[in-house]
């Protein structure tokens, strides 16, 4: 009886070890695993069939996994039928966007890329993509003086969604610190930095003046146990389409004149824009944005863009 219990316990251990490898995205080879555990390949095959039935029945998290054999990989691996892995082009594109954003310090960027590699790449591409990511990370241009901040993003995002006041200690450009209580409105990314857009604590219901704080310059913060109401007329989609510059400020309605060839670029850059008409000089657009960033942007485009009086 003791021997039966031992054998049964050993089987549980063996199956759990195989399960762990499969869940980590590894390919399990029949001959190698049977030899490692000191069992026959027929016994290993029974373990695989047990696991195949388990994965077929287990979809509690909404993900349907299938255990399949690949001749190319010479082994068994898991395939997520409902949440497909990325193909090579998709993986490279996503990583390129992350790396070229230069949004994180190297110590934050490296584990993000490696986690994508570990869970989102097809097993047959793992080695090639691993070599590619090593090369790309070696060329990564780390932003100067960037403080770690990624661990705070979840709590800040939660404060935004729950409409809870935040008390922040913020580092100004001159290095001094200021303490403020704010109404967080949203997180945005622009020109290498993540920003927290927020209304001031005392903003009234009609105020649409917003400030932007670089998240990596928030030395510390506290999410307060009290809620706020957003200004009249505020909505999440409208806010995102109008918060195109990180300088913050009041909501402005602006009329632009641009050449026909530039109209599509302006409409993409400013989602809250619409075409008001066309003249011999070009296309007239109406847009709404927070702050004065539009002035510098239009000036940087030379004669292609002109701000008209509204």
């Amino acid at each position: 009886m003791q021997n039966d219990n031992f054998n049964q316990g050993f089987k549980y251990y063996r199956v759990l070890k195989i399960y762990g490898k499969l869940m980590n995205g590894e390919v399990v080879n029949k001959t190698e695993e049977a030899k490692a555990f000191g069992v026959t390949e027929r016994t290993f095959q029974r373990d695989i069939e047990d696991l195949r039935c388990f994965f077929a029945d287990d979809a509690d998290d909404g993900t349907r996994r299938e255990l399949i054999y690949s001749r190319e990989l010479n082994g068994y691996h898991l395939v997520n039928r409902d949440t497909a892995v990325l193909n090579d082009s998709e993986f490279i594109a996503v990583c390129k966007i992350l790396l070229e954003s230069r949004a994180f310090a190297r110590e934050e960027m490296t584990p993000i890329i490696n986690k994508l590699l570990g869970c989102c790449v097809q097993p047959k591409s793992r080695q090639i993509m691993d070599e590619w990511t090593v090369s790309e990370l070696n060329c990564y241009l780390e932003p100067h003086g960037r403080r770690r901040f990624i661990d705070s993003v979840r709590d800040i995002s939660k404060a935004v969604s729950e409409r809870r006041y935040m008390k922040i200690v913020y580092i100004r450009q001159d290095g001094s610190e200021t303490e403020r209580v704010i109404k967080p409105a949203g997180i945005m990314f622009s020109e290498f930095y993540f920003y927290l857009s927020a209304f001031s604590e005392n903003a009234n219901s009609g105020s649409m003046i917003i400030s932007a704080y670089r998240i990596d310059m928030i030395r510390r913060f506290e999410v307060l146990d009290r809620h706020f109401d957003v200004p009249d007329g505020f909505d999440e989609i409208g806010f995102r389409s109008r918060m195109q510059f990180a300088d913050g400020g009041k909501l402005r309605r602006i009329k632009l004149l641009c050449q026909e060839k530039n109209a599509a670029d302006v409409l993409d850059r400013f989602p809250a824009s619409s075409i008001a008409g066309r003249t011999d000089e070009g296309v007239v657009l109406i847009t709404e944005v927070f702050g004065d960033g539009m002035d510098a942007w239009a000036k940087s485009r030379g004669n292609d863009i002109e701000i008209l009086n509204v």
Side-chain angles (χ1 to χ4, degrees), residues 1 26 42 51 53 56 62 87 104 141 146 163 174-175 186 222 241-242 256 261 269 283 287 291 303:
M1 190 70 176
E26 298 181 38
R42 188 172 182 178
L51 286 168
C53 292
N87 63 40
F104 305 103
L141 299 175
R146 185 66 53 85
R163 303 290 188 219
D174 62 3
E222 177 186 358
S241 66
R242 290 163 175 79
L256 300 171
K261 65 180 182 179
R269 180 69 173 81
V283 181
T287 189
N303 296 327

Side-chain angles (χ1 to χ4, degrees), residues 24-287:
N24 284 330
E26 298 181 38
V27 177
V28 177
N29 176 271
K30 178 194 294 188
T31 302
E32 292 177 358
E33 295 298 325
K35 184 177 180 180
F37 287 110
V39 298
T40 65
E41 292 188 8
R42 188 172 182 178
T43 297
F44 172 84
Q45 193 63 45
R46 285 197 294 268
D47 294 341
I48 287 294
E49 294 306 317
D50 289 342
L51 286 168
R52 181 177 280 129
C53 292
F54 171 77
F55 286 119
D57 294 337
D58 180 55
D60 291 341
D61 60 355
T63 301
R64 182 167 59 90
R65 302 179 180 89
E66 184 177 348
L67 181 56
I68 65 172
Y69 177 78
S70 169
R71 290 183 180 273
E72 183 180 3
L73 299 175
N74 191 30
Y76 295 88
H77 67 100
L78 278 178
V79 174
N80 291 344
R81 293 302 185 189
D82 297 326
T83 308
V85 295
L86 301 175
N87 63 40
D88 293 353
S89 295
E90 291 169 335
F91 174 75
I92 290 173
V94 170
C95 288
K96 276 291 187 181
I97 291 172
L98 278 171
L99 292 164
E100 295 301 323
S101 73
R102 299 179 61 201
F104 305 103
R106 180 181 295 276
E107 61 181 328
E108 293 179 311
M109 181 66 79
T110 299
I112 292 174
I113 297 296
N114 286 335
K115 286 174 184 177
L116 284 173
L117 175 67
C119 67
C120 297
V121 172
Q122 303 174 75
K124 65 180 181 180
S125 301
R126 189 68 53 79
Q127 182 175 349
I128 296 175
M129 291 298 101
D130 181 62
E131 294 172 356
W132 180 85
T133 55
V134 169
S135 176
E136 289 292 314
L137 285 169
N138 285 338
C139 298
Y140 181 58
L141 299 175
E142 185 175 27
H144 176 70
R146 185 66 53 85
R147 300 173 62 250
R148 284 183 58 92
F149 69 91
I150 196 168
D151 293 337
S152 66
V153 170
R154 185 193 67 174
D155 292 336
I156 293 175
S157 180
K158 186 177 180 181
V160 170
S161 63
E162 294 179 354
R163 303 290 188 219
R164 294 173 64 181
Y165 284 92
M166 290 179 60
K167 180 189 291 185
I168 66 171
V169 175
Y170 190 71
I171 305 173
R172 295 191 180 103
Q173 288 186 344
D174 62 3
S176 63
E177 296 183 0
T178 180
E179 182 177 293
R180 297 177 184 176
V181 175
I182 59 174
K183 301 175 180 179
I187 296 175
M188 61 174 289
F189 178 80
S190 177
E191 301 293 337
F192 311 121
Y193 300 106
F194 281 91
Y195 293 88
L196 172 60
S197 302
F199 298 99
S200 66
E201 178 184 18
N202 299 318
N204 58 45
S205 60
S207 173
M208 290 295 278
I209 300 175
I210 205 159
S211 299
Y213 303 92
R214 263 179 54 183
I215 292 182
D216 65 304
M217 300 302 285
I218 298 176
R219 181 175 294 280
R220 57 184 179 274
F221 68 89
E222 177 186 358
V223 179
L224 304 181
D225 191 22
R226 56 191 180 101
H227 300 267
F228 62 86
D229 294 323
V230 296
D232 296 337
F234 176 88
D235 71 271
E236 189 72 21
I237 297 176
F239 165 74
R240 295 191 182 196
S241 66
R242 290 163 175 79
M243 191 64 189
Q244 298 302 312
F245 300 101
D247 57 348
K250 65 180 180 179
L251 183 63
R252 299 171 61 196
R253 182 177 174 84
I254 300 172
K255 182 184 291 185
L256 300 171
L257 176 66
C258 68
Q259 297 181 16
E260 183 75 41
K261 65 180 182 179
N262 298 314
D265 291 341
V266 176
L267 290 169
D268 287 339
R269 180 69 173 81
F270 305 100
S273 300
S274 60
I275 297 177
R278 285 177 166 83
T279 69
D280 294 338
E281 297 177 304
V283 181
V284 177
L285 297 155
I286 300 292
T287 189

